[in-house]
């Protein structure tokens, strides 16, 4: 499949174009140098589920930390230190907390890499000349096209949203 | 007190996105000036001194430091706590101020986070170095050992190990995540192929799609959310290295909040110390404006007062406890005992200095701010000296009382960490945009909208 | 390096003639040690020694053997038992059966083991600096040049030596003997001559004393009978209940000694003022109707200041009130007149025959034959053919006026036999190494006359001869071993002639060596009473001594060092680093001054002072000592050695002998002090003597104790805690220390060091606060009242050091020990910070020096700690485990009192008691149930296992005032 791209000068122009084209039922994606909240609404994107992953990992990290501390100080090696209790919840709190935080952070980071499809070395978009402005000052819109014959219409519809330019890119690798 | 954004902008002028981007990226393209090179040379020399002294210490024995019994902890732990404290401002700015939607954080958060990382790196050296047998430092971490013994987690030191590791990791992730879009920008605008490859790899193939931004913001929010309790917990745990001990002057429940306040205090002082010369050197006064400096000064005043409160409570409790060792510690040992001048220096720097910032004029006077920030850094180091060394000098049994004097190795290592810190920081200034470009563009856009909104009805 | 065959002594010398040996060789030596054990101590052809244990175990590796022998210092023998590991002596302990020890030892005796392995020992016979051999020297000694022979050697009480000297005198008519002892007791004997017409020996029986008066006499510390006397004194001083009445102790002295620190009434006075006080005391007794001789008019003219007079009168009343149960003891450095008056005082209060017995002197020729001065004169006059200086160092330890070095150089043939090359060696032609007492055969008498044997535990490391063998060579007895020489004279004495003589002798000989002494050979008490009138000589001496001084210039009181004695132990690192009682000064001596005098002269600690006495001057750092007399300053002898061959001793401290008058009197009447600009950083272990009003070392007056026996209630008993109290079952080890009888003599400190391989850190290490002693003695001085508090790991049941260790390096054993696992330690030092008693020690560097021979002393049962790890007192866990293993092998429980820690074993007064809490009938448990028991820093809730008994003082109501209350 191919991807049709259009660049707009401002975020507002992009958002406008998105609204128009969505009504025409296109599958859209946008590329912006900074997050544009209106876009999500215009694209009717669902809320990110990333937080669940992070939360679950966090709970797991904390539980594992507490369990581990109990295991090594009360079960595996019950050594008498200063007559303190072997299972000493108060003393186990700090590490439990820190490990919970650590797991959450790692979870969130890993999740964003996966969900945002990062850690790729190359993408057809990089071949599109001028697309570099997507990380600079330009605002880009992508229309996922199916068969070539509809292409013409798509181009027309795109042109109707008077972009700065229109370009074409191969499908994702 | 609070001037309107218009009267006192956090972004001077209305640069186009292009201008803004070029200005902010220029620091990475441009040649470092002569001043930068000189600073780099000095920092490099001190770094060599640091690693020289580390080698000497490890080869000869910790005895080359001035430590003794009773003062078994001294410069090593002082530097550790001091650097960790400095490391608190970055996360505070980028996490807490982010949650509080303080826009002005945008221009300095990247900067402050980097400072945090580099400070934590310095701090991380000391828990290893101060050991009698540094080569066994890994015994503080749980691993299936053939000796079949694990860390003793009732001690505060494994808590430390956990806290510092977590803090460094989370700060690094937070900082790097924030960098990704800018790295992509660098990749796409790099003048040379080598840089394009370098930044291209670091950018992880960021394309800035709306989907990516959506998850990105969620992740950033979560990191900010957990970094906030983290930043509080880390210094609380560091403080428990002392609070769980029974040494007079250590055994105190005020320590966690007291340490956190002190940490943020010293952190913001260090931010100012670094940002003031940098913004001048790289001509960023329109991005990092006097307003930013003034707001930091306000935070210094607040945290400074918190620290002062901490001192007061310590003294009150010492008197109220009726414990003669505690009383002696606070009313004789510290103010008049060996090294008492450090105690007075601490009071002068930490309590008096921030009082300047009641005056708006002084808050906005860059020179005053710079000097004050340095004084506060000194004062906070002195505070750790007082807490650690002076407490240990005067404990329960007078028969064990003894003074402390650092050796040239102690001093060299302190100077060395300053050098190493500067080295990392100077490298960062040249390699990465130290003002978050994407966020500044976003901020600029928001400001533009507001201006439009202002002008609209008129 | 050459690899010597370990079993022969000859190649051994090859190895050891190098100061440093490599680890491999050290191991070989260890092997050699085993061989030597067989050779020297076990059944070896012709050489047989039997161990102390009546039931001797086989030499099984790891199981130490114990041998009885004797340490002789200034002629007086003390019986000791030496622990030997595979033929390697490692530890000295007191011989419980020996009358001079009763199990206790002094710090010096404990440290003497290190001298055996001292890398700086003399190793080869030298003639004019060129290596020679013992054979050649023996030859030379067999054929002396014309001219009389002079012997210089320490005071002797050895029957064997006496016999040899007699033979030498036969062979060499005109032979003169100089018994050289800078800290000798000539004055005491001359005093006895004044009183009894004969040089009798004073034997104290303190077990019967209710009142003891020490006239400048450190009878619990430095004096030759001290180890025994301290045990007897403690028996009368320790209280089991408030109703007990402990012995009351008066002391008059310039510098605070262990004795003075225990005194109920201590009069700080210059040493020269002791004689007037004694005179006044005697006349006060007369005034109270006691039988005293008529005193010369000068005695009446003695005008004492009022508070001294008050003291004297109170003492006189108390002595009379306890007539027959009181004793007056006069210090060795006091003039003969003072000793004489002491005898009359004792006679007047009925002490003679009761608490004080008089016997024949243990020494041969107690009044001496010739003096160093005679030697110097004769040498200059060219009237000496040969001078043999054996086992002493007159060039250093003598009045500079005598110029002994020059004198010796004027002698045709000079021989110096010495354990270490020293100042005297440089003045002599021949230098011969001398065997350590653990390498030699011999005999000697204890103070009370008991014959004690010296037997070797190891063949001489460097093949050095002993004093006896050298004397034998002079006596013309060639080629006889020390053992043969010793057995010969004892044959007739040990067994009755008869058919089974040989077997009888061997049995007696074996038994004697097994015990280490001959029971029942103590000198019999003589029915002595002092003459009715003072002899003219004494009166003359009193006239001279009591004449009021021309001016009130400062007195300089010289004293033997509690560590290095007269300098002969100055190369012993343990003794150099031993914190001196009262001053906690190490690695130097200092001019000890009272705070008031220091303020007057504006002296801070370490200010260098120029001391001038006549034309002699000396620079010495000053040190304030609370309680020191104002009119006097004290300087300890034995430092300031000039011996390049003794790197540890060389140049440490200042040489007090430089100020010694020609008469050698230790009390230098008039000196001038002048502060110089310079300052010296003294190395002290305790800098703060004030307890700042904290109840740390508790003390009470007897009547207060009786009124409120429970006065330590605040410092013991259960405390509320959020944490559960740990339940520990089985034997629970604990310690109780009675500060009432601790003299602070510090024998325990060295004993601990020897037992536990505790390293020395040097003067700089001490200055930086890195001394390693596991056991230190804290002293708190309130109103010139001293309390000694031995401070070691308290083995807290709720140990604060343990829960802060991140790696389980310190944890608690089921039997209540606070244990260090050195291998686990990473050296965070958190435990030290969190120890409120500050008894943890850290290896800042690698203090362990395996390459020197000193490492051969290490106790194989104790880990040698590596760099970077924490260490501390273990309650001698190796001894506990040893006893447990023994008990298990014998299928029984550990017996009460079976485990004795090193410090407890060495303590002369028995102030330290150790054991299991379950053993209810041991002193350790009984003591801690006394109402005066307390725990230091009890309110911290650490629940220490070590408890202390408060110091109870028994002041005389007549002298008592509130200032005395501690």
């Amino acid at each position: 499949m191919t991807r049709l791209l259009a660049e707009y000068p401002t975020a507002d122009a992009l958002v406008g174009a998105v609204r128009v084209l969505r009504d025409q039922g296109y599958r859209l994606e946008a590329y912006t140098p900074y997050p544009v909240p209106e876009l999500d609404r215009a694209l009717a994107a669902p809320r990110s589920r990333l937080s669940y992953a992070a939360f679950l990992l966090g709970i797991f990290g904390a539980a594992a930390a507490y369990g581990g501390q109990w295991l090594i100080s009360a079960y595996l090696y019950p050594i008498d230190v200063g007559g303190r209790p072997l299972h000493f919840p108060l003393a186990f709190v700090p590490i439990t907390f820190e490990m919970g935080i650590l797991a959450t952070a790692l979870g969130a980071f890993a999740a964003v890499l996966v969900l945002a499809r990062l850690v790729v070395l190359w993408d057809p978009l990089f071949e599109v000349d001028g697309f570099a402005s997507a990380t600079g000052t330009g605002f880009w819109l992508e229309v996922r096209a199916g068969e070539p014959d509809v292409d013409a219409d798509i181009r027309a519809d795109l042109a109707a949203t008077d972009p700065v330019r229109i370009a074409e890119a191969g499908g994702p690798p | 007190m609070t001037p309107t954004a218009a009267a006192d902008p956090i972004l001077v002028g209305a640069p186009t996105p292009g201008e803004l981007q070029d200005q902010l990226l220029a620091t990475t393209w441009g040649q470092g000036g002569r001043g930068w090179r000189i600073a780099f040379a000095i920092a490099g020399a001190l770094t060599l001194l640091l690693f020289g002294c580390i080698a000497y210490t490890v080869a000869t024995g910790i005895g080359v430091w001035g430590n003794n019994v009773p003062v078994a902890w001294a410069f090593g732990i002082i530097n550790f706590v001091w650097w960790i404290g400095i490391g608190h401002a970055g996360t505070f700015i980028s996490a807490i101020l982010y949650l509080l939607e303080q826009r002005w954080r945008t221009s300095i958060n990247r900067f402050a986070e980097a400072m945090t990382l580099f400070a934590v790196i310095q701090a991380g050296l000391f828990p290893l170095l101060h050991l009698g047998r540094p080569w066994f430092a890994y015994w503080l971490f749980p691993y299936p050992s053939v000796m079949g013994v694990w860390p003793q987690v009732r001690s505060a030191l494994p808590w430390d190990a956990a806290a510092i590791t977590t803090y460094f990791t989370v700060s690094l992730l937070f900082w790097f995540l924030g960098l990704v879009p800018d790295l992509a920008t660098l990749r796409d605008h790099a003048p040379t192929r080598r840089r394009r490859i370098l930044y291209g790899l670091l950018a992880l193939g960021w394309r800035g799609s709306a989907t990516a931004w959506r998850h990105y913001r969620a992740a950033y929010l979560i990191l900010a959310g957990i970094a906030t309790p983290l930043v509080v917990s880390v210094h609380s745990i560091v403080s428990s290295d002392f609070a769980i001990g029974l040494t007079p002057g250590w055994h105190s429940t005020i320590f966690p909040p007291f340490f956190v306040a002190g940490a943020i205090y010293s952190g913001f002082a260090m931010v100012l110390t670094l940002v003031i010369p940098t913004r001048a050197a790289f001509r960023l006064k329109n991005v990092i404006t006097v307003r930013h400096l003034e707001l930091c000064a306000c935070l210094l005043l607040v945290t400074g007062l918190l620290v002062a409160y901490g001192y007061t409570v310590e003294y009150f409790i010492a008197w109220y406890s009726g414990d003669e060792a505690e009383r002696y510690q606070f009313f004789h040992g510290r103010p008049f005992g060996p090294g008492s001048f450090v105690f007075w220096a601490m009071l002068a720097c930490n309590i008096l200095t921030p009082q300047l910032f009641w005056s708006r004029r002084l808050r906005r006077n860059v020179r005053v701010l710079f000097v004050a920030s340095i004084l506060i850094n000194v004062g906070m180091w002195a505070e750790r000296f007082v807490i650690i060394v002076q407490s240990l000098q005067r404990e329960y049994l007078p028969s064990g009382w003894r003074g402390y004097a650092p050796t040239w190795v102690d001093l060299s290592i302190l100077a060395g960490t300053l050098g190493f810190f500067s080295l990392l920081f100077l490298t960062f200034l040249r390699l990465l945009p130290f003002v978050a470009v994407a966020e500044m563009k976003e901020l600029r856009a928001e400001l533009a909208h507001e201006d439009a909104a202002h002008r609209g009805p008129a | 390096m050459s690899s010597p065959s370990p079993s022969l002594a000859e190649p051994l010398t090859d190895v050891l003639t190098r100061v440093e040996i490599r680890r491999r060789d050290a191991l070989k030596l260890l092997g050699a040690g085993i061989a030597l054990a067989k050779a020297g101590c076990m059944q070896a052809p012709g050489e047989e020694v039997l161990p102390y244990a009546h039931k001797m175990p086989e030499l099984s590796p790891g199981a130490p053997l114990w041998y009885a022998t004797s340490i002789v210092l200034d002629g007086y023998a003390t019986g000791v038992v030496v622990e030997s590991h595979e033929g390697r002596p490692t530890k000295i302990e007191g011989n419980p059966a020996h009358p001079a020890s009763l199990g206790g030892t002094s710090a010096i005796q404990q440290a003497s083991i290190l001298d055996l392995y001292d890398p700086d020992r003399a190793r080869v016979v030298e003639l004019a600096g060129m290596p020679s051999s013992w054979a050649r020297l023996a030859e030379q000694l067999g054929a002396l040049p014309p001219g009389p022979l002079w012997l210089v050697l320490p005071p002797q009480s050895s029957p064997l030596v006496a016999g040899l000297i007699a033979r030498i005198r036969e062979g060499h008519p005109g032979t003169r003997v100089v018994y050289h002892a800078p800290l000798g007791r000539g004055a005491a004997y001359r005093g006895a001559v004044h009183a009894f017409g004969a040089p009798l020996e004073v034997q104290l029986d303190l077990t019967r004393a209710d009142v003891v008066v020490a006239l400048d006499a450190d009878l619990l510390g430095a004096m030759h009978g001290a180890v025994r006397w301290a045990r007897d004194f403690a028996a009368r001083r320790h209280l089991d209940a408030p109703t007990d009445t402990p012995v009351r102790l008066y002391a008059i002295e310039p510098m605070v000694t262990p004795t003075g620190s225990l005194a109920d009434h201590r009069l700080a006075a210059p040493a020269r003022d002791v004689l007037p006080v004694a005179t006044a005391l005697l006349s006060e007794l007369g005034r109270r109707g006691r039988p005293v001789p008529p005193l010369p008019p000068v005695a009446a003219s003695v005008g004492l200041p009022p508070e001294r007079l008050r003291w004297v009168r109170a003492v006189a009343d108390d002595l009379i009130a306890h007539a027959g149960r009181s004793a007056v003891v006069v210090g060795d450095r006091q003039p003969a007149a003072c000793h004489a008056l002491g005898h009359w005082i004792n006679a007047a209060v009925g002490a003679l025959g009761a608490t004080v017995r008089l016997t024949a002197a243990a020494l041969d020729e107690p009044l001496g034959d010739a003096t160093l001065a005679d030697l110097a004169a004769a040498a200059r006059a060219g009237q000496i053919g040969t001078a043999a200086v054996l086992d002493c160092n007159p060039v250093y330890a003598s009045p500079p006026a005598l110029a002994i070095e020059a004198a010796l150089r004027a002698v045709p043939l000079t021989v110096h036999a010495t354990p270490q090359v020293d100042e005297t060696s440089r003045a002599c032609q021949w230098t011969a190494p001398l065997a350590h007492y653990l390498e030699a055969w011999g005999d000697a008498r204890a103070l009370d006359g008991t014959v004690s044997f010296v037997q070797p535990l190891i063949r001489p490391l460097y093949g050095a001869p002993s004093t006896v063998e050298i004397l034998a060579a002079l006596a013309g007895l060639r080629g006889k071993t020390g053992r043969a020489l010793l057995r010969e004279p004892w044959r007739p004495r040990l067994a009755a002639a008869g058919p089974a003589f040989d077997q009888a002798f061997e049995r007696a000989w074996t038994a004697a060596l097994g015990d280490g002494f001959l029971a029942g050979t103590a000198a019999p008490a003589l029915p002595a009473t002092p003459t009715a009138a003072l002899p003219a000589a004494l009166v003359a001496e009193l006239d001279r001594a009591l004449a009021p001084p021309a001016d009130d210039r400062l007195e300089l009181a010289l004293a033997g060092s509690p560590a290095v004695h007269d300098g002969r132990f100055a190369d012993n690192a343990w003794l150099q680093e031993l914190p001196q009682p009262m001053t906690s000064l190490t690695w130097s001596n200092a001019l000890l001054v009272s705070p008031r005098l220091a303020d007057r002269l504006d002296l801070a600690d370490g200010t260098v002072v120029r001391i001038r006495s006549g034309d002699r001057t000396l620079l010495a750092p000053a040190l304030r000592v609370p309680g020191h007399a104002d009119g006097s300053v004290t300087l300890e002898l034995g430092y300031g050695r000039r011996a390049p061959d003794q790197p540890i001793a060389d140049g440490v401290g200042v040489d007090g002998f430089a100020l010694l008058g020609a008469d050698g009197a230790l009390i230098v009447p008039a000196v001038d002090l002048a502060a110089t600009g310079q300052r010296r950083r003294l190395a002290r272990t305790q800098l703060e003597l004030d307890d700042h009003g904290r109840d740390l070392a508790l003390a009470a007056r007897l009547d207060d104790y009786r009124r409120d026996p429970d006065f330590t209630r605040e410092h013991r008993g259960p405390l509320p805690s959020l944490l559960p109290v740990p339940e520990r079952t089985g034997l629970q080890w604990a310690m109780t220390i009675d500060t009432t009888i601790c003299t602070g003599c510090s024998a325990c400190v060295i004993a601990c060091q020897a037992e536990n391989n505790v390293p020395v850190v040097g003067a700089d290490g001490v200055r930086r606060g890195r001394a390693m002693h596991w056991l230190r003695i804290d002293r708190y001085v309130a109103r010139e009242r001293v309390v000694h508090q031995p401070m070691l790991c308290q083995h807290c049941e709720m140990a604060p050091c343990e829960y802060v260790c991140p790696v389980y390096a310190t944890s608690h054993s089921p039997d209540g020990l606070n244990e260090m696992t050195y291998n686990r330690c990473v050296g965070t030092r958190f435990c030290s910070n969190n120890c409120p008693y500050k008894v943890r020690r850290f290896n800042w560097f690698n203090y362990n020096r395996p390459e020197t021979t000193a490492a051969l002393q290490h106790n194989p049962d104790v880990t040698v700690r590596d760099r970077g790890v924490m260490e501390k007192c273990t309650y001698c866990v190796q001894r506990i485990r040893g006893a447990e293993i023994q008990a298990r092998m014998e299928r029984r429980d550990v017996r009460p009192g079976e485990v004795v820690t090193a410090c407890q074993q060495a303590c002369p007064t028995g102030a330290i008691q150790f054991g299991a809490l379950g053993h209810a009938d041991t002193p350790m448990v009984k003591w801690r149930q006394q109402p005066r028991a307390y725990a230091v820093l009890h309110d911290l809730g650490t629940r220490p296992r070590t408890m202390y008994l408060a110091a109870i003082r028994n002041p005389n109501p007549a002298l008592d005032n509130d200032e005395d209350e501690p």
Side-chain angles (χ1 to χ4, degrees), chain A residues 73 79-84 88, chain C residues 728 798-799 802-803 808 811-812:
Chain A
S73 42
I79 298 174
D80 178 351
V81 286
R84 265 56 176 182
F88 203 172
Chain C
R728 300 194 179 105
M798 303 281 285
E802 291 177 7
Y803 73 84
Y808 283 113
S811 56
H812 227 76

Side-chain angles (χ1 to χ4, degrees), chain A residues 29-30 32 46 77 98 119 135-136, chain B residues 148 188 204 210-211 213-214 233 441:
Chain A
E29 176 62 287
T32 58
Y77 296 93
E98 296 300 328
V119 201
T135 59
Chain B
D188 297 342
L204 307 177
T211 324
W213 277 120
R214 206 164 71 244
S233 78
K441 288 184 198 155

Side-chain angles (χ1 to χ4, degrees), chain B residues 98-117:
Chain B
Y98 179 78
L99 296 181
L100 300 176
E101 298 186 330
Q102 295 292 313
R103 278 181 179 159
W104 61 274
R105 78 180 262 289
T106 312
S107 349
I108 57 170
N109 68 333
R110 167 79 39 80
F111 190 87
E113 287 170 36
M115 181 194 80
T116 291
L117 283 176

Side-chain angles (χ1 to χ4, degrees), chain B residues 220-376:
Chain B
Y220 199 81
L221 186 65
I222 289 169
L223 284 180
I226 58 169
T228 304
L230 177 62
V231 74
V232 175
S233 78
V234 168
H235 226 54
S236 303
I237 286 175
V238 169
S239 80
S240 64
D241 290 353
F242 310 101
I244 70 163
L246 42 61
T247 306
W250 283 14
H251 189 65
S252 158
T253 48
I254 187 77
F255 264 31
F258 170 47
F259 266 53
V260 172
I264 294 164
Y265 187 43
S266 59
F268 271 99
M270 187 56 93
V271 169
L272 279 178
T273 318
L274 293 176
V275 85
I276 287 173
T278 313
R279 73 193 269 274
F282 292 91
R283 294 181 213 74
L284 288 168
K285 295 189 173 166
N286 63 326
V287 180
I288 304 171
T289 68
V290 175
R291 177 96 194 284
H292 291 102
L293 306 184
E294 180 181 12
L295 287 161
C296 289
C298 291
L299 273 160
L300 280 181
L301 181 53
V302 175
T303 47
L305 291 173
L306 285 172
V307 169
Y309 170 78
Y311 295 161
T312 323
V313 171
E314 268 192 315
Y315 268 81
F316 170 75
I317 294 297
W319 165 79
Y320 183 70
S321 69
D323 179 295
E324 60 220 344
E326 284 274 334
R327 285 187 175 179
Y328 188 90
Q329 178 64 251
F330 282 90
F331 295 96
H332 297 81
R334 290 187 181 180
F336 311 113
S340 53
F341 69 96
V342 182
F343 170 81
W344 296 109
M346 168 191 88
L347 287 188
C349 296
N350 292 353
I351 307 300
L352 299 186
T353 318
Q355 307 311 323
L356 300 172
F357 303 144
W358 291 108
S359 135
R360 178 142 196 270
R361 206 166 42 72
L362 293 177
R363 279 208 303 273
R364 301 175 63 82
N365 177 328
V366 179
R367 277 195 189 67
V368 172
L369 280 176
F370 187 65
V371 175
S373 71
I374 287 175
L375 284 179
I376 290 171

Side-chain angles (χ1 to χ4, degrees), chain A residues 29-35 45-46 48 50-51 72-73 77 81 85-86 91 97-98 117-120 123 135-136, chain B residues 21 148 150 153-154 159 166 185 188-189 204-205 207-211 213-215 217 222 226 230 233 237 441-442 445:
Chain A
E29 176 62 287
Y31 300 90
T32 58
Y34 55 82
S48 168
L50 180 143
S51 46
I72 62 177
S73 42
Y77 296 93
V81 286
L86 294 173
F97 177 83
E98 296 300 328
R117 295 198 188 71
L118 289 180
V119 201
V120 299
D123 186 289
T135 59
Chain B
Q21 173 173 315
W150 302 77
V153 292
R154 297 173 203 77
W159 307 351
T166 306
T185 316
D188 297 342
H189 301 76
L204 307 177
R207 303 175 290 289
S209 73
T211 324
W213 277 120
R214 206 164 71 244
H215 299 298
R217 291 179 57 167
I222 289 169
I226 58 169
L230 177 62
S233 78
I237 286 175
K441 288 184 198 155
E442 187 180 3

